[in-house]
Amino acid sequence: MIVIKNGKSFKCVFLSLLLILLSCFEQSVKADSVSDSDLHVVIVYSSETGKVTENIKLLDMLIGHFSPNMTFLPSSEIEEADLQDADVLFYYGEVVEVLPAKVGSLFDSFTKTKVALGYNVEYLGDDYDFIQFGDNVLINELVLVEGNKKNELGDRLIFQMKDLKEAEVLVKGAGNGKEYPLFIKKNELYYHASYQIDSLFSTYLGEVFHEVFKADHPEGHPAYLRLEDIHPLTDHTIMKEIADIFIEKEIPYIISVIPIYRNPETGDEYHFGDFPKLLEVLKYMQENGGRIILHGYTHQYKADETGEGFEFWDVDANMPITVPPDETPEKKQRSDFQTEDEYLAFLAKQKAFEVDYIKTKVTKGIQDLVSYGLIPYAFEAPHYTMSQSGYEILSEHFSTYIGQLQLGDRDWQIMAPAPYATSPTFLHGMNLLPETIGYVEPDNPHAIDEMMKKAEEMTVVRDGYIAGFYHPYLGVEKFKELIGRMEQIPNLQWIDLQQTSNVVQVDNITVTAEETEELSVNVEYFELLKDSPEFYNPKVKSTADNTMWLFALSAGGMVVLFVLYAVIIKIRRMRTEKGKYYG
Amino acid sequence: MVNFLFYLSLFLIWFMLVYHMFLMQGGYMHFLRYQKKADLWEKRMAYYPKVSIIIPAHNEEVVIENTIEAMIRLKYPRKRLELIIVNDNSTDNTGSIINKYARAYSFIKAIHTKPPYAGRGKSGALNSGLVAATGEYIVVYDADNQPEEDAVYYLAQALQNDQKAGAVVGKFRVLNANKNMLTSFINIETITFQWLAQAGRWFWFKLTTIPGTNFAIRRSILEELGGWDERALSEDTELSIRVYNLGYHIRFFPAAITWEQEPETFKVWWKQRTRWARGNQYVILKFLIQFFQLKNKKVYLDLFYFLFTYMLFLAGVLVSNLLFVLNLFMDLDISAGGISLVLLVLAFLLYMTEIMLALSIEKEQATFKNMLAVILMYFTYSQIWLALVVYSLYLEAKRVLLKQDVVWYKTQRYKQTS
């Protein structure tokens, strides 16, 4: 049940002033964090440039499940003070580096939980001395020791640890019929014998990190299916059939909605109001377990078709969007500028454009949906592409992000999910509900099998997400197969965005979903009329159309009546004349 | 923006059409009822009140004789009747014709106005006649009118039986309807106007506009109002509003019938209609300025009606025509689509059925020939009206801006050979 509360349009003057003052400080939209603790985690890293890399972002995502309170420091910058209130200390050696002696002594003096991953563990003080390396070994399988859960992956080299005494092996790598320790534990000391933490490594790390953080999360797999790329031209009959399947199975689900369809040839834009039958189905869906999320505004940039194009990433230049679609972006380095100030000014200009671009799109998208009575709960970027500063902008509007995350501004193709819900620092407070098993690829006959294989992998993690998406244009049959297969996965818990904490906020509209409470949609109608009168377009248009039909109906009725009157007059006159004649 | 304009014009047009449709329904109901009223009043006619007929005549030698003959044929006690013909500064034989009749009939009075008190237009002539009038009721006819024998009787009867009526308006019919296409169009137009606008408004709101001829008004009211407004181009509309302001209503009583001449050439028609349109625009202006002084709130309805007819409806039609034409040359992306086509067809059907119903009410008017004329009218006569209103708006705007004086144009008359 959706309740739309009328915004208090007329506030006292001082209240408005207070609001204006408050709005000067941009705040991110906060909802309850997915993690249940507030442990301070310090992560020291060695990377090629000393900057945060995609892999470090992956680590961020893995740890964010347990605590959002993280500090990332390059090995060259760590100071004693940084560890003062640390609860868990991480070291991640992505590249070979001779660590400063200070790092070793700091690690030595830190007596709580320590986790090391990758290279350079030999510099991490006396505690790690027990680890001795042999030649690297090739593996193609990971094994979770507890429960002997095995999954294959492509050939990977890992470090070979020799003579492990007193250490407990949590994860093993297997290859050529042999097994090698991969993730080990010695008291409060942990080590991952590879600099690789992506794909299946990430999944296995996700499980064993529960032990690192002593997080006794209950077994069970949160799951969702997302109907993808629903725009105004989507076939409403398929949507209705899918909706009824969900209803019959009592499964809540997610609908990724794009408010505008833009025809790439003509440039014409269509709204949901232009397709009332689809709109009706969408409303039916959201009243029956379907939860709408915003999936961009047009899902395109430049001349691309809606659903095909990238919206928040310039895919041609492979960089964030920094110019209007008809202009070519400038890709410049520091070396292109004489002074640092000029370079910073250049970056600031690009960033300013991007901020405005994303804010505008998101605001219009939300306003458009709400104007049709469609209530969004979260955001999913088209093709999961979003610049790092884009996530920060999004965090001012959404508390929940659905899908996978682009891990840096270097290349959009480097993206990943987390194995579980998480709140990494680069989401600035947003919770990620990851999509982990992919989608039904149109031309791949084994697509659903492959999805199920990924789902199987996710069961390694005690609370691993099993979530995928489906394009309704593929038809109802494939969908039935997919959902049927998913239902067979044991211990699945379908998530309902209505039952978790979600906040969506743009100018004059706030949507708040809370467990146990009714959805609240707060609209400042009066302010909207001033700022975004187009919000009222759907209402005005439907009123106008209804009135026109009323005109047509009454006019048609009167035309019939007038003809009837004329005939009556004629008949009466004929009768009286006859009467006269014969009378 | 284009869509907004399109919708707006569509709404302006359709508010008008819906209102007309509603009025026509009322007109039909009034037709069903008024005869019963006439029969009832006939029995109640206690005495014959003194009636003064005023006929302003300015160069009317072609028609005045027929008019006076028709007055002589009126079935109303001669002693209670007075015919005042105001020869308003005529340069032709009008004066002598009038004088001839005045000498022959004691109930006929001739008044001749000379400059500087002459040629001030119809209002001025009527005011001159009013001074000489002794009747309790004043009846006005145009100089080209030939009332039916019982017309004045019905007018007096209605005023006597309806004490709330400040004035009673009869029906006029076209004498020269079969003369040419223009007069047959005017015939159709006047019949529709009277059953739709006059009878319809009377039925629903007890509102009627004095049409300038074939009406009776209490002399006490004219005296209270100080006669006709000599500045007004359409003195009748103006007078109507003032009568309502006094708290009276104006009854439409189709039992009283007069026959009148209509313009036979386009040029004459154009000048006459321009005068009417300008007159009504003057009224809108005059009463919009003193909007809140209007005592009878129903008059707002009429003012709005005029405002709609002469400004908003006009604008609506012009904008939608413009959009239609533009749409032929460029893609305006109007989203209204199918419904607007339905409305277009319905608008035409409404036009046809309303007019045909009005014609049906009159005997021998709902003919096949007239039906063809109605269709033809839609594409010709009705469209010229657009140009006419624009032209008159221009003239009236010029008058207000340049503070020009009002020039009364007298409608040209024709000798009827029947």
Side-chain angles (χ1 to χ4, degrees):
Chain A
M1 180 64 196
I2 289 165
V3 184
I4 297 196
K5 288 181 187 162
N6 197 338
K8 290 169 198 149
S9 305
F10 305 99
K11 292 189 184 72
C12 302
V13 175
F14 73 92
L15 260 182
S16 338
L17 281 175
L18 192 67
L19 275 179
I20 291 164
L21 275 175
L22 281 175
S23 66
C24 293
F25 308 97
E26 297 244 307
Q27 287 181 322
S28 62
V29 178
K30 290 274 184 210
D32 296 347
S33 177
V34 287
S35 54
D36 41 21
S37 79
D38 196 42
L39 294 169
H40 183 208
V41 185
V42 174
I43 302 105
V44 182
Y45 62 86
S46 298
S47 67
E48 186 84 45
T49 59
K51 294 210 167 90
V52 170
T53 62
E54 286 90 351
N55 273 327
I56 298 170
K57 294 264 167 73
L58 275 177
L59 197 56
D60 195 345
M61 288 160 73
L62 285 172
I63 298 170
H65 180 58
F66 304 97
S67 171
N69 184 6
M70 286 174 262
T71 309
F72 287 84
L73 291 164
S75 56
S76 58
E77 283 179 18
I78 185 169
E79 298 292 339
E80 202 174 341
D82 295 322
L83 301 184
Q84 262 177 6
D85 61 344
D87 299 301
V88 183
L89 179 60
F90 271 74
Y91 172 77
Y92 175 47
E94 189 182 20
V95 293
V96 178
E97 185 190 355
V98 179
L99 296 180
K102 193 162 79 179
V103 177
S105 58
L106 283 176
F107 265 73
D108 265 343
S109 60
F110 188 80
T111 54
K112 292 183 231 173
T113 308
K114 286 182 278 195
V115 185
L117 308 100
Y119 292 112
N120 315 322
V121 68
E122 58 270 30
Y123 301 107
L124 292 182
D126 302 338
D127 286 352
Y128 277 100
D129 278 351
F130 74 98
I131 298 173
Q132 299 294 316
F133 293 109
D135 295 334
N136 286 352
V137 289
L138 195 69
I139 59 156
N140 55 17
E141 194 178 42
L142 296 186
V143 185
L144 183 71
V145 174
E146 187 183 346
N148 196 29
K149 289 179 182 167
K150 296 179 181 178
N151 279 292
E152 286 182 2
L153 82 167
D155 288 349
R156 301 277 188 121
L157 282 172
I158 62 166
F159 310 147
Q160 188 185 174
M161 290 182 282
K162 298 194 295 185
D163 308 326
L164 283 175
K165 294 160 196 155
E166 302 161 41
E168 185 188 341
V169 178
L170 301 183
V171 179
K172 292 186 287 190
N176 295 324
K178 288 185 184 169
E179 290 189 334
Y180 309 94
L182 176 62
F183 192 87
I184 59 164
K185 172 188 181 182
K186 186 185 174 192
N187 302 323
E188 287 304 295
L189 217 58
Y190 298 86
Y191 180 63
H192 176 67
S194 174
Y195 68 92
Q196 300 166 88
I197 57 173
D198 61 311
S199 59
L200 199 59
F201 288 110
S202 162
T203 309
Y204 277 73
L205 284 174
E207 168 55 23
V208 293
F209 274 14
H210 281 88
E211 185 144 353
V212 170
F213 288 96
K214 298 175 184 57
D216 190 19
H217 294 167
E219 188 90 21
H221 301 291
Y224 64 75
L225 262 181
R226 213 170 63 208
L227 301 177
E228 196 75 353
D229 292 342
I230 309 307
H231 57 66
L233 263 64
T234 303
D235 185 330
H236 66 90
T237 53
I238 297 178
M239 289 290 280
K240 175 73 167 57
E241 285 181 59
I242 290 178
D244 287 334
I245 294 169
F246 276 124
I247 292 171
E248 187 200 322
K249 295 180 182 292
E250 294 183 2
I251 294 175
Y253 57 105
I254 294 173
I255 315 163
S256 292
V257 172
I258 309 157
I260 306 276
Y261 177 86
R262 185 181 174 280
N263 183 324
E265 269 134 45
T266 61
D268 291 343
E269 292 187 343
Y270 300 92
H271 296 248
F272 283 113
D274 302 323
F275 300 90
K277 281 184 183 153
L278 175 63
L279 185 58
E280 202 177 299
V281 172
L282 285 174
K283 288 187 174 169
Y284 172 74
M285 290 175 123
Q286 75 176 359
E287 279 162 22
N288 292 283
R291 304 296 171 229
I292 286 168
I293 62 171
L294 186 69
H295 187 37
Y297 182 52
T298 61
H299 201 307
Q300 57 80 235
Y301 174 65
K302 296 187 179 172
D304 296 318
E305 186 187 358
T306 292
E308 296 296 324
F310 291 68
E311 187 165 18
F312 298 107
W313 188 257
D314 187 339
V315 77
D316 296 331
N318 201 9
M319 64 184 285
I321 285 177
T322 53
V323 287
D326 52 346
E327 288 175 27
T328 314
E330 293 177 285
K331 228 177 179 176
K332 288 183 176 172
Q333 309 294 322
R334 168 68 186 90
S335 54
D336 297 323
F337 295 89
Q338 300 260 318
T339 67
E340 181 77 13
D341 283 351
E342 284 174 37
Y343 179 53
L344 289 178
F346 167 76
L347 289 181
K349 194 181 150 218
Q350 290 201 328
K351 170 100 189 253
F353 180 86
E354 191 189 21
V355 169
D356 183 59
Y357 177 84
I358 296 176
K359 268 188 174 296
T360 307
K361 289 251 183 180
V362 165
T363 304
K364 279 184 171 176
I366 300 291
Q367 287 178 349
D368 197 88
L369 288 183
V370 174
S371 75
Y372 289 111
L374 304 176
I375 311 303
Y377 288 76
F379 186 81
E380 176 207 343
H383 300 307
Y384 297 150
T385 55
M386 180 60 79
S387 75
Q388 299 304 298
S389 62
Y391 288 127
E392 187 172 0
I393 301 162
L394 284 181
S395 73
E396 288 166 18
H397 303 291
F398 300 94
S399 72
T400 307
Y401 185 93
I402 306 277
Q404 299 191 1
L405 297 176
Q406 183 177 329
L407 299 178
D409 284 352
R410 200 161 53 123
D411 184 357
W412 68 268
Q413 295 187 66
I414 305 174
M415 59 173 61
Y420 34 48
T422 183
S423 184
T425 55
F426 67 99
L427 285 192
H428 300 273
M430 283 193 290
N431 294 324
L432 168 72
L433 306 184
E435 174 269 291
T436 52
I437 66 168
Y439 65 107
V440 181
E441 294 169 47
D443 302 322
N444 181 356
H446 308 296
I448 295 177
D449 293 336
E450 287 168 17
M451 288 172 81
M452 290 309 119
K453 185 176 173 296
K454 284 187 192 150
E456 177 67 29
E457 289 174 12
M458 296 317 296
T459 60
V460 167
V461 188
R462 65 191 73 179
D463 52 1
Y465 255 63
I466 297 179
F469 58 103
Y470 186 80
H471 293 95
Y473 68 80
L474 296 175
V476 180
E477 288 313 309
K478 269 191 183 165
F479 175 77
K480 279 186 187 160
E481 188 190 340
L482 173 63
I483 196 159
R485 295 279 295 276
M486 279 191 80
E487 280 185 294
Q488 290 166 15
I489 300 168
N491 223 347
L492 218 56
Q493 298 160 350
W494 296 103
I495 62 156
D496 183 351
L497 293 182
Q498 174 65 61
Q499 300 301 321
T500 56
S501 171
N502 295 290
V503 182
V504 174
Q505 186 172 49
V506 291
D507 291 348
N508 305 317
I509 295 177
T510 308
V511 178
T512 315
E514 282 292 345
E515 196 183 353
T516 71
E517 276 179 37
E518 282 184 330
L519 178 69
S520 121
V521 181
N522 204 309
V523 180
E524 301 279 344
Y525 289 102
F526 185 68
E527 298 293 318
L528 264 178
L529 190 63
K530 281 194 301 185
D531 303 341
S532 318
E534 66 274 8
F535 177 80
Y536 291 95
N537 281 354
K539 284 186 180 68
V540 171
K541 192 171 185 316
S542 71
T543 313
D545 283 343
N546 289 343
T547 315
M548 292 213 292
W549 279 110
L550 200 70
F551 283 156
L553 222 63
S554 48
M558 289 314 283
V559 164
V560 173
L561 272 185
F562 290 158
V563 171
L564 198 71
Y565 294 160
V567 171
I568 290 172
I569 292 174
K570 181 101 182 155
I571 291 172
R572 279 194 189 164
R573 192 158 287 150
M574 273 163 63
R575 276 190 194 152
T576 44
E577 273 165 17
K578 254 187 197 165
K580 270 182 192 166
Y581 196 79
Y582 292 108
Chain B
M1 187 59 194
V2 168
N3 267 314
F4 172 75
L5 275 179
F6 182 77
Y7 275 106
L8 186 70
S9 60
L10 214 69
F11 276 109
L12 289 178
I13 292 170
W14 271 87
F15 275 126
M16 193 77 172
L17 296 188
V18 167
Y19 184 56
H20 276 174
M21 165 174 118
F22 174 71
L23 287 185
M24 190 62 232
Q25 175 66 29
Y28 175 68
M29 314 237 288
H30 186 56
F31 158 70
L32 294 181
R33 289 186 191 174
Y34 86 92
Q35 195 56 50
K36 283 172 199 155
K37 204 102 189 175
D39 294 344
L40 181 74
W41 284 346
E42 189 142 19
K43 290 170 198 155
R44 283 204 206 143
M45 190 82 170
Y47 77 109
Y48 289 93
K50 178 97 188 254
V51 173
S52 300
I53 302 172
I54 305 178
I55 302 176
H58 173 70
N59 294 341
E60 303 280 11
E61 63 176 7
V62 184
V63 291
I64 196 70
E65 207 156 349
N66 284 340
T67 305
I68 298 172
E69 289 293 343
M71 299 297 159
I72 292 167
R73 285 196 299 274
L74 284 173
K75 281 186 183 160
Y76 200 82
R78 220 22 91 69
K79 281 182 188 165
R80 310 297 293 159
L81 192 65
E82 170 180 65
L83 178 62
I84 300 166
I85 307 170
V86 184
N87 169 29
D88 188 28
N89 201 27
S90 295
T91 51
D92 62 359
N93 261 335
T94 308
S96 56
I97 298 171
I98 296 171
N99 283 340
K100 186 183 82 186
Y101 278 100
R103 280 194 296 275
Y105 295 89
S106 60
F107 80 106
I108 300 180
K109 276 187 201 168
I111 294 179
H112 302 275
T113 65
K114 291 277 179 291
Y117 304 105
R120 289 169 305 178
K122 191 176 170 185
S123 300
L126 286 169
N127 283 336
S128 304
L130 181 61
V131 173
T134 58
E136 193 180 337
Y137 301 159
I138 306 294
V139 172
V140 175
Y141 281 105
D142 281 342
D144 63 337
N145 268 233
Q146 294 178 29
E148 291 189 357
E149 291 170 354
D150 46 11
V152 169
Y153 167 75
Y154 277 124
L155 291 176
Q157 182 199 63
L159 266 189
Q160 200 190 22
N161 281 281
D162 184 357
Q163 288 305 316
K164 282 187 197 156
V168 171
V169 170
K171 185 173 76 179
F172 67 90
R173 294 291 310 279
V174 176
L175 203 56
N176 51 347
N178 294 324
K179 187 81 183 178
N180 58 31
M181 197 170 281
L182 180 65
T183 58
S184 73
F185 286 173
I186 297 172
N187 175 49
I188 292 167
E189 181 196 16
T190 54
I191 290 172
T192 311
F193 165 73
Q194 293 185 85
W195 285 112
L196 187 149
Q198 294 285 62
R201 267 154 66 243
W202 165 252
F203 181 83
W204 295 114
F205 314 117
K206 300 283 170 278
L207 265 178
T208 310
T209 310
I210 296 171
T213 186
N214 196 28
F215 69 93
I217 182 167
R218 297 177 198 278
R219 196 178 62 167
S220 56
I221 289 177
L222 279 175
E223 280 167 354
E224 195 175 344
L225 292 175
W228 278 268
D229 177 356
E230 295 183 14
R231 290 187 58 80
L233 276 170
S234 70
E235 68 293 331
D236 328 309
T237 313
E238 202 272 344
L239 179 66
S240 310
I241 294 178
R242 291 197 293 153
V243 169
Y244 277 100
N245 256 348
L246 287 182
Y248 291 98
H249 62 225
I250 299 171
R251 173 176 285 275
F252 180 64
F253 197 47
I257 301 164
T258 187
W259 294 76
E260 67 173 33
Q261 272 198 17
E262 295 299 340
E264 291 176 4
T265 68
F266 176 74
K267 205 177 154 192
V268 175
W269 176 86
W270 178 266
K271 284 192 177 171
Q272 181 200 48
R273 294 308 171 96
T274 311
R275 177 167 65 87
W276 291 359
R278 288 181 65 187
N280 287 330
Q281 285 154 9
Y282 167 85
V283 168
I284 299 172
L285 198 71
K286 174 173 172 178
F287 286 99
L288 278 186
I289 289 167
Q290 30 179 295
F291 195 75
F292 296 103
Q293 293 163 21
L294 291 176
K295 292 201 185 74
N296 193 325
K297 301 301 173 212
K298 280 189 223 161
V299 177
Y300 290 126
L301 210 68
D302 261 14
L303 278 178
F304 266 116
Y305 180 74
F306 280 136
L307 192 68
F308 248 96
T309 312
Y310 288 106
M311 312 215 168
L312 302 178
F313 176 71
L314 171 83
V317 173
L318 289 181
V319 167
S320 68
N321 281 356
L322 182 76
L323 289 180
F324 178 76
V325 172
L326 281 179
N327 207 22
L328 295 179
F329 297 103
M330 58 177 109
D331 187 13
L332 292 180
D333 191 25
I334 292 170
S335 65
I339 178 71
S340 57
L341 205 69
V342 172
L343 287 179
L344 187 75
V345 172
L346 279 170
F348 183 75
L349 286 178
L350 261 185
Y351 162 87
M352 284 297 296
T353 50
E354 279 167 4
I355 296 182
M356 288 314 290
L357 175 58
L359 292 182
S360 300
I361 291 173
E362 297 297 338
K363 278 177 193 165
E364 287 154 25
Q365 289 297 329
T367 59
F368 183 68
K369 195 182 138 208
N370 267 346
M371 198 162 95
L372 291 181
V374 173
I375 295 171
L376 191 61
M377 261 175 97
Y378 187 84
F379 299 100
T380 55
Y381 191 83
S382 309
Q383 305 306 322
I384 293 169
W385 177 87
L386 286 177
L388 188 129
V389 179
V390 172
Y391 176 67
S392 61
L393 264 177
Y394 159 74
L395 288 182
E396 194 56 14
K398 205 169 83 171
R399 184 190 69 78
V400 172
L401 292 176
L402 304 179
K403 299 198 169 74
Q404 287 177 342
D405 266 346
V406 184
V407 181
W408 184 53
Y409 171 77
K410 187 193 109 39
T411 308
Q412 191 185 322
R413 309 289 188 208
Y414 306 89
K415 186 78 188 167
Q416 290 303 310
T417 51
S418 52

